[in-house]
Amino acid sequence: EPVICELINNSDWKDDCYFNIATDFGGVANAAQNITLCENIQRKFNRESCYYTIAQNTKNPGPCKKVSNDDPNNPYHRDSCYGIVAQKSGDHTVCNRSEDINNEYRCYTFVAEVKEDASICELIDSKIIKDLCVALAKRDPKLCESLPIDGNTRDSCYANIVLSTKNKKLCSQIESDEIKDYCLKIND
């Protein structure tokens, strides 16, 4: 019951109380009420995390509008919120709400990969990102071979296919020691 949160004097604990009540609910029907509870959270990061969590849990992009997009290093920025909702709901049309074109393309790639639907990749104008998207959607490591080595695009392609297929033999194709180490630790 949210009333209990008002009885807490410590602002950090009060924020935690509202966050826990707002994000621990029984579905979409309570989403509007829970967004109101998020608005009671004083710390911006926690308040935006609350909106983000509700959007993710309900697969509804609406709460993402309340998340700022001013710090791309913040894991709870608006474009990331749209991306997670699109990925969880399988609705690639949510991706075009992203303000940054690279985040939009990343979003399309995530959805295409989850749905194993390479046709979504056609929405991407960048040839390299489109090719990466198709390779991941088709889970085809042969398509990674045509990707550039610089910038770790090819290596990331192999590692992401290992994530979805569990075929660790592909890790041997990776040139970057850091990405190869990550690849070899997948599902260990």
Side-chain angles (χ1 to χ4, degrees), residues 15 18-19 37-43 46-47 50:
D15 281 358
Y18 281 120
F19 180 90
L37 291 174
C38 294
E39 291 167 1
N40 291 319
I41 297 173
Q42 297 301 306
R43 288 176 297 182
N46 290 7
R47 184 173 53 251
C50 186

Side-chain angles (χ1 to χ4, degrees), residues 141-155:
K142 289 187 178 104
L143 298 175
C144 298
E145 294 169 13
S146 66
L147 294 169
I149 297 170
D150 59 318
N152 295 324
T153 304
R154 185 184 301 169
D155 289 349

